[in-house]
Amino acid sequence: VVVALVASWLAHQRPQPLELLIRDMVLGRGLRAAVRHRRLRVHYQPLVDLADGRVIGVEALCRWNDSRQRPVAPDVFIPAAERTGAISMVGREVLRIATEQSEQWANDHGDGMTMSVNVSPLELSHPDFLDGLKALVGEAKLRRYTLCVEITETAIISDPHGALVTLSALREMGALIALDDFGTGHSSLAYLAGLPIDIIKIDQSFVATVDTDPTSRALVNAVVRIASALGATTIAEGIERPSQLRVLKELGCDIGQGYFLGRPAEAADVNWAVRTLA
Ligand code: C2E
Ligand code: MG
Ligand code: MG
Ligand code: MG
């Protein structure tokens, strides 16, 4: 009885640091095993040109089921992978799968489709990252500007000089660079102006209310102008309704991504059809 009481008490406590640490370790081990056994999957979500409805590329999004075959959300396992160091294995695996898939699609549909891959700050600053990526891009014989690396403001703030060096090298090897979740971090415009950024992704939190809240609308408008000043293309994330799409087009946003335009899907199920946006 005492044991049962203690167990139930423990179960109802808020997670304590030790529990979090153990949970991270379990996730980290599971992820490493998944990479070794090639059980990680990648889904692809279409990026749609808001001018003509064409799919101009996809974003690769990692998918993982735990040992009981339950899907674990990336927002749970990616941070755990970052804290345990498993992210370098996971990141390399996603890049391997995505570049292979990109080669496949280039053979099937011709060149010109962008493959966007998320890269964590830790991966970006890893000394082997650039060489590893170069090898994959070479193996897949990817054309220049086919691969797009999505980074967050965190990667820039944590090491501005290192970020500049790495991003410049990426640009040189023909990768595009996208700044993900823009507006949620703390990077300064002064830093951004000095970086080779091709794409700014407007965070979902602004897009969520762009059609209902004048403040969101004004903020998205401001981001589109900042992007234009930096010479960057804009992608709006998280479009779920036609009314959001309408406002985003009005504000001059270039590209859209979201459930309304296409959910993330397995490679074979990606819908390449031109979207009707009117
Ligand atoms: P992200 O890079 O900002 O990716 C966009 C997320 O929004 C994805 O969540 C996508 O499924 C979701 N999404 C797309 N359209 C909509 C929409 O209309 N409504 C809503 N509510 N959500 C939408 P997902 O796949 O769960 O990934 C979450 C985050 O995990 C990603 O955010 C990214 O930061 C990270 N992540 C995923 N895969 C990888 C990876 O391979 N490497 C790294 N480093 N991070 C990854
Ligand atoms: Mg992303
Ligand atoms: Mg994002
Ligand atoms: Mg995000």
Side-chain angles (χ1 to χ4, degrees):
V1 173
V2 172
V3 172
L5 277 175
V6 170
S8 122
W9 177 77
L10 277 174
H12 292 92
Q13 289 297 299
R14 293 230 315 280
Q16 297 297 305
L18 183 63
E19 280 178 61
L20 289 178
L21 197 72
I22 292 168
R23 201 181 64 178
D24 273 1
M25 283 168 57
V26 171
L27 290 172
R29 279 177 60 111
L31 281 165
R32 287 175 206 269
V35 172
R36 275 195 303 273
H37 296 104
R38 301 222 161 172
R39 282 196 307 254
L40 275 193
R41 294 286 172 264
V42 176
H43 284 186
Y44 303 90
Q45 186 176 33
L47 305 172
V48 176
D49 190 331
L50 296 184
D52 59 12
R54 280 175 204 283
V55 177
I56 57 106
V58 293
E59 177 174 5
L61 295 159
C62 188
R63 296 291 178 258
W64 177 50
N65 292 342
D66 67 13
S67 53
R68 291 185 216 167
Q69 291 314 308
R70 291 171 307 197
V72 184
D75 285 328
V76 171
F77 72 76
I78 294 289
E82 287 172 334
R83 289 190 294 265
T84 56
I87 192 66
S88 47
M89 262 179 102
V90 170
R92 231 179 305 132
E93 177 72 349
V94 172
L95 277 166
R96 182 188 68 77
I97 297 170
T99 48
E100 272 184 31
Q101 187 58 57
S102 193
E103 177 182 22
Q104 181 79 50
W105 278 329
N107 291 335
D108 298 350
H109 313 282
D111 291 322
M113 217 58 96
T114 301
M115 172 65 75
S116 270
V117 182
N118 295 284
V119 173
S120 293
L122 271 160
E123 290 175 76
L124 197 72
S125 61
H126 195 286
D128 297 338
F129 172 71
L130 283 171
D131 285 341
L133 190 61
K134 243 178 235 163
L136 287 172
V137 167
E139 270 163 43
K141 299 176 283 293
L142 296 189
R143 246 185 27 176
R144 289 175 73 79
Y145 311 125
T146 296
L147 185 73
C148 175
V149 172
E150 295 197 2
I151 61 162
T152 57
E153 291 172 80
T154 313
I156 298 168
I157 309 155
S158 56
D159 177 12
H161 179 71
L164 175 60
V165 172
T166 310
L167 296 185
S168 304
L170 277 173
R171 163 65 70 76
E172 195 144 308
M173 63 177 275
L176 294 167
I177 296 151
L179 195 54
D180 208 349
D181 305 340
F182 185 76
T184 62
H186 309 275
S187 61
S188 79
L189 291 177
Y191 278 161
L192 296 187
L195 293 173
I197 290 166
D198 302 286
I199 295 165
I200 286 185
K201 299 193 75 170
I202 305 168
D203 191 66
Q204 318 199 349
S205 55
F206 304 117
V207 175
T209 50
V210 74
D211 54 342
T212 54
D213 174 19
T215 305
S216 293
R217 187 192 163 106
L219 287 174
V220 170
N221 188 30
V223 174
V224 170
R225 281 155 192 270
I226 288 170
S228 146
L230 295 172
T233 299
T234 42
I235 300 184
E237 302 187 284
I239 303 175
E240 296 179 346
R241 299 180 289 276
S243 50
Q244 292 168 315
L245 193 66
R246 220 153 32 230
V247 175
L248 290 162
K249 278 183 73 169
E250 245 171 66
L251 296 177
C253 182
D254 302 302
I255 295 165
Q257 177 179 3
Y259 296 161
F260 180 68
L261 296 167
R263 288 184 178 261
E266 285 179 41
D269 299 331
V270 172
N271 173 8
W272 300 101
V274 178
R275 309 308 199 251
T276 315
L277 303 176

